[in-house]
Amino acid sequence: ICSVWLFAAAVAVTGGCSRGPAATVEGAVTIGGTPVESGWIRFTPAAGDGPTAGGPIEQGRYRAAAAPGRVRVSLQGYKQVGEERPRGDPTGPLLPIMEPLLPSDDLGPAGEKTLAPGRNTIDFAL
């Protein structure tokens, strides 16, 4: 009887915290047909009633987990323009010099999308 009671309590606690099945979203991000080298994608609930989710863009691809529903998508992108050593360390490793793809450091809003529970694929061709 104790194990049934503990199981019921655990289900009640975890069930009350969830907004339903999670959504995963993945895809490509390109500008003029060229993959975005590096950046970030953000998914903000369109109704403003939940947390923002997102993930990195690497070599033109991204993958993130978010709550299902209508979201506003925003993107940031960078390109490597060179390499340099850390200041004051002439023997340190070469670090990439990244430059924003647009002066505002933001590719801008990519519009609103609807994420379904489970797997979603959304590509962004800017």
Side-chain angles (χ1 to χ4, degrees), residues 66-108:
R70 195 87 179 142
V71 293
R72 286 188 199 102
V73 182
S74 61
L75 301 161
Q76 289 178 308
Y78 305 92
K79 64 180 176 179
Q80 184 171 341
V81 295
E83 295 179 317
E84 66 182 350
R85 297 197 188 281
R87 290 191 180 120
D89 186 359
T91 61
L94 287 172
L95 302 174
I97 300 170
M98 303 303 284
E99 183 177 281
L101 292 171
L102 295 177
S104 69
D105 191 32
D106 193 348
L107 299 179

Side-chain angles (χ1 to χ4, degrees), residues 19-38:
R19 294 186 63 184
T24 59
V25 58
E26 60 185 75
V29 181
T30 58
I31 295 180
T34 302
V36 171
E37 284 182 46
S38 178

Side-chain angles (χ1 to χ4, degrees), residues 32-50:
T34 302
V36 171
E37 284 182 46
S38 178
W40 194 259
I41 187 166
R42 282 185 302 281
F43 300 96
T44 305
D49 62 348

